[in-house]
Amino acid sequence: MEGTKNVVLLDFWPSSFGMRQRIALALKGIEYEAREENLFDKSPLLLEMNSVHKKIPVLIHNGNSICESLIILEYIDQVWHDKYPLLPSHPYERSQARFWADYIDKKYLQIYSTGRRVWSGEGEDQEKAKKEFIEIFKTLEGELGDKTYFGGDNLGFVDVALVPFTSWFYSYETCANFSIEAECPKLVAWANRCMQIESVSNSLPHPHNIYAYVLELKHKLGLS
Amino acid sequence: MAENDLKLLGAWPSPYVMRPRIALNIKSVGYDFLEEQFGTKSDLLLKSNPIYKKIPVLIHDGKPICESLIIVEYIDENWNSGPSILPSDPYDRAIARFWATYIDDKWFPALRGIAAAQGEDAKKAATESVIEGLVLLEDAFKNCSKGEKFFGRDKIGYLDIALGCFLGWTRVTEKLNNLKLLDESKTPGLYKWAEDFCADSAVKDVMPETDKLAVAAKWFPLRRVLAVAQGDDAIKAAPEPVVEDLVLLEDAFKNCSKAKKFFGGDKIGYVDIALGCFLGWMRVTGKMHNVKLLDEAKIPSLYKWAEDFCADSAVKDVMPETDKLAQAAKILLPKIRADASS
């Protein structure tokens, strides 16, 4: 098996993108050094390892840096392919897994700006944001269908890509006064099933901690 | 007719469509190329790509694959006996994917930004960001090619395809804006690579001629406005792209009219008629959705042109009054929408 000595993850605890890597590395049983970054005071190592975007997560393996969370996931899956493969083996199914993971990332920009409007917007703006937010998750519910996980019987690429965002649900619900479970019960049921898996529950922060972070951010940005 | 049941939905000017075409050429795989008509989306496209409704879409044995780079990876993995497109080493693969993502998320939008930039300062800033990107990509090229011809080293690979598909539009942008983007002195590696890429047998037949592309580029905004004019919902959803296209048309108008009244010069010509007949619609839609399409501040020349066009003796008697048209629209549109959703 490929050596795990030189594996470092530059991360930031509330980051959904960082959570993806934590889950993947945990599922595959890979030991690594987790380095917490302060995004308001980025380390020289981060600036060097991701000079183009200066963002986390960054995986450093044998001195090489790999950036962009889905690219890191594919790298981890390829290098440590024998334990808990995340992508299916058939090319067509692989293309579909990649498509939905990419969809999540494309919609993230929308969720992010929507999310901000959800927890800091007002009135009509917030209502519109909630609607967009729910539509995205309803589409994903449709893709999940009656499967246990997006990956079928086991967690797959799309599960790992998506489940981190659920740690933010409590914050959205509390700030905008709505229930994601009421609108997307299947998705919330899926999230609960994922959380039964140790590698997932150990990798995600408690939703209340995310909420505390959100309140801190709102205060910092003068939005409370 | 293809040996596989393989269809590619696309359009010849689209750089994204070129990507799977190059990949299929590399693998020597035949396919049916189904060309979408500009401004319309076929039923097959809407059925195959319900999420984004965009080309390219590869349909293999009835199963659709969407998003150009995902399609390229599929082609590479499915026809794995042919020459490989992605590097085999995991780290090299991660690097190739990283730069392809950079090109799609940052570099190509910057290139498109040159055409959309208003005013000399904005154009200069947009141009600089494109050239900065090319300098980064020059470095990537040195690291990936390791002295050989392509990012994929001795043969075209994933990153060559990801960047090379934009060479046509790069040349068109240079031509239409009188700029040098791929500069032999600044980025010598990429300059030579561009020549080698376009000459490659997998690319030659699918790379559109620059002149043909330049004509398509010049009239894209007009064709888009006319396409939107056929459907009320598009303008309601996002008036901004229509306004942006009108700003691009302002430029085209100045070039064509050469300070005269019409696109056709002293008298009304083909383009005047094509666009002018939608002036009534533009006024009504603008009124109904509280959007100023013919904004004198944003498009002064087109604003004046609209007045001159409507006052022309050939047009006056056939141009409906805005209020009459608005009333008709109020009655007809709900009915049209109801019919459409049933």
Side-chain angles (χ1 to χ4, degrees):
Chain A
M1 189 178 168
E2 167 72 37
T4 59
K5 263 187 293 177
N6 279 317
V7 186
V8 180
L9 180 69
L10 304 184
D11 200 353
F12 179 53
W13 73 268
S15 162
S16 299
F17 300 111
M19 290 175 214
R20 290 170 167 175
Q21 324 310 327
R22 292 174 226 165
I23 297 171
L25 292 164
L27 284 170
K28 291 171 185 280
I30 296 153
E31 277 172 31
Y32 64 98
E33 183 195 337
R35 286 212 205 174
E36 186 71 11
E37 284 286 327
N38 175 1
L39 295 187
F40 296 97
D41 184 17
K42 294 177 182 178
S43 73
L45 182 64
L46 172 59
L47 298 175
E48 188 199 325
M49 291 287 129
N50 190 355
S51 54
V52 176
H53 302 301
K54 306 173 175 53
K55 284 181 170 176
I56 57 98
V58 178
L59 188 79
I60 308 172
H61 183 214
N62 296 333
N64 289 326
S65 65
I66 299 103
C67 310
E68 297 294 297
S69 73
L70 290 181
I71 296 177
I72 300 173
L73 269 187
E74 291 237 29
Y75 177 85
I76 291 171
D77 206 37
Q78 195 189 352
V79 171
W80 293 285
H81 53 81
D82 30 318
K83 183 88 186 281
Y84 215 110
L86 295 174
L87 277 170
S89 43
H90 193 279
Y92 182 71
E93 282 149 45
R94 289 163 78 88
S95 76
Q96 298 310 291
R98 287 180 176 131
F99 174 86
W100 286 106
D102 175 68
Y103 171 85
I104 292 162
D105 272 12
K106 279 188 165 64
K107 292 300 174 183
Y108 169 76
L109 284 173
Q110 224 182 304
I111 295 170
Y112 184 67
S113 59
T114 306
R116 294 191 121 193
R117 284 185 285 144
V118 165
W119 48 261
S120 59
E122 272 165 27
E124 206 187 297
D125 202 33
Q126 199 179 63
E127 285 310 303
K128 218 176 149 218
K130 272 150 76 170
K131 225 178 139 225
E132 279 174 38
F133 189 88
I134 293 296
E135 259 171 56
I136 292 165
F137 287 107
K138 278 210 158 96
T139 305
L140 288 164
E141 254 191 346
E143 173 54 25
L144 177 66
D146 292 319
K147 302 198 288 286
T148 310
Y149 306 107
F150 286 91
D153 292 329
N154 293 308
L155 292 176
F157 198 72
V158 178
D159 300 277
V160 176
L162 182 60
V163 76
F165 294 98
T166 63
S167 61
W168 284 74
F169 279 2
Y170 175 75
S171 300
Y172 297 138
E173 289 174 320
T174 310
C175 292
N177 193 29
F178 72 124
S179 163
I180 296 172
E181 184 163 10
E183 305 277 352
C184 306
K186 272 188 165 173
L187 197 75
V188 171
W190 159 83
N192 291 335
R193 285 196 292 276
C194 292
M195 288 299 281
Q196 308 268 327
I197 297 172
E198 225 180 273
S199 296
V200 176
S201 56
N202 287 347
S203 304
L204 302 195
H206 196 285
H208 292 172
N209 292 342
I210 297 277
Y211 183 60
Y213 169 74
V214 166
L215 292 179
E216 210 187 289
L217 250 194
K218 277 175 84 167
H219 182 72
K220 249 189 188 150
L221 299 171
L223 293 169
S224 40
Chain B
M1 195 67 194
E3 332 83 65
N4 306 277
D5 177 10
L6 201 56
K7 298 178 170 62
L8 181 69
L9 307 183
W12 68 266
S14 163
Y16 300 105
V17 170
M18 215 189 302
R19 290 168 167 179
R21 297 185 82 185
I22 297 171
L24 289 165
N25 283 350
I26 289 172
K27 302 281 187 180
S28 303
V29 172
Y31 61 98
D32 284 330
F33 185 50
L34 303 178
E35 191 106 32
E36 288 284 314
Q37 289 304 309
F38 190 87
T40 63
K41 292 180 197 272
S42 70
D43 286 338
L44 184 59
L45 174 60
L46 296 175
K47 196 181 95 183
S48 311
N49 191 355
I51 300 283
Y52 302 120
K53 305 176 176 54
K54 282 183 173 177
I55 48 163
V57 180
L58 185 73
I59 308 177
H60 189 196
D61 290 333
K63 295 191 286 206
I65 302 109
C66 310
E67 293 300 291
S68 63
L69 291 176
I70 292 177
I71 300 173
V72 169
E73 291 217 37
Y74 173 77
I75 292 168
D76 195 32
E77 291 179 346
N78 198 57
W79 286 277
N80 55 3
S81 54
S84 60
I85 296 174
L86 266 95
S88 47
D89 176 75
Y91 178 64
D92 292 339
R93 203 176 270 208
I95 293 294
R97 287 184 175 132
F98 175 86
W99 287 112
T101 304
Y102 169 82
I103 289 161
D104 276 2
D105 291 351
K106 299 264 182 315
W107 187 78
F108 186 56
L111 182 69
R112 280 207 312 270
I114 295 177
Q118 292 175 54
E120 277 311 304
D121 288 339
K123 260 205 166 66
K124 203 164 166 240
T127 306
E128 267 168 30
S129 76
V130 171
I131 294 176
E132 268 167 37
L134 286 171
V135 169
L136 279 179
L137 288 164
E138 172 85 0
D139 208 40
F141 177 72
K142 280 202 195 93
N143 292 332
C144 295
S145 64
K146 302 199 199 333
E148 295 187 77
K149 279 209 300 192
F150 302 111
F151 286 91
R153 302 189 63 180
D154 60 330
K155 55 178 169 54
I156 281 181
Y158 181 82
L159 191 47
D160 298 279
I161 295 173
L163 182 60
C165 67
F166 293 117
L167 284 171
W169 284 104
T170 306
R171 291 192 177 124
V172 166
T173 308
E174 286 176 330
K175 192 174 169 150
L176 293 182
N177 297 280
N178 205 22
L179 288 170
K180 204 170 197 184
L181 295 171
L182 259 179
D183 192 327
E184 195 169 5
S185 57
K186 286 204 179 105
T187 55
L190 284 182
Y191 191 84
K192 175 95 196 11
W193 163 83
E195 285 176 358
D196 290 333
F197 180 82
C198 293
D200 190 273
S201 56
V203 174
K204 251 182 357 211
D205 295 338
V206 298
M207 177 71 78
E209 291 162 34
T210 307
D211 289 333
K212 213 177 170 191
L213 212 55
V215 172
K218 195 162 127 189
W219 295 114
F220 251 166
L222 174 64
R223 296 179 80 185
R224 267 202 297 260
V225 172
L226 296 184
V228 170
Q230 323 273 355
D232 166 73
D233 285 332
I235 185 115
K236 190 175 175 192
E240 294 84 19
V242 181
V243 175
E244 275 168 29
D245 280 337
L246 288 170
V247 170
L248 289 172
L249 272 178
E250 170 92 350
D251 236 19
F253 174 73
K254 282 192 203 130
N255 291 332
C256 291
S257 64
K258 301 198 210 308
K260 302 222 173 124
K261 279 211 288 193
F262 303 111
F263 282 92
D266 281 320
K267 39 187 188 55
I268 283 175
Y270 180 80
V271 178
D272 298 282
I273 296 174
L275 186 59
C277 65
F278 287 107
L279 282 174
W281 161 83
M282 276 191 239
R283 292 198 172 112
V284 168
T285 311
K287 206 167 165 167
M288 280 176 71
H289 300 299
N290 208 23
V291 153
K292 216 174 189 182
L293 289 177
L294 285 167
D295 190 333
E296 192 176 3
K298 284 203 174 117
I299 45 171
S301 309
L302 276 183
Y303 187 86
K304 174 103 196 2
W305 162 84
E307 285 180 352
D308 290 334
F309 181 83
C310 293
D312 189 273
S313 55
V315 174
K316 246 178 4 202
D317 295 338
V318 299
M319 178 67 80
E321 289 164 38
T322 307
D323 287 331
K324 234 177 168 180
L325 209 59
Q327 273 178 43
K330 257 198 191 127
I331 298 168
L332 285 172
L333 278 171
K335 187 175 184 300
I336 294 171
R337 281 198 199 106
D339 286 344
S341 57
S342 59

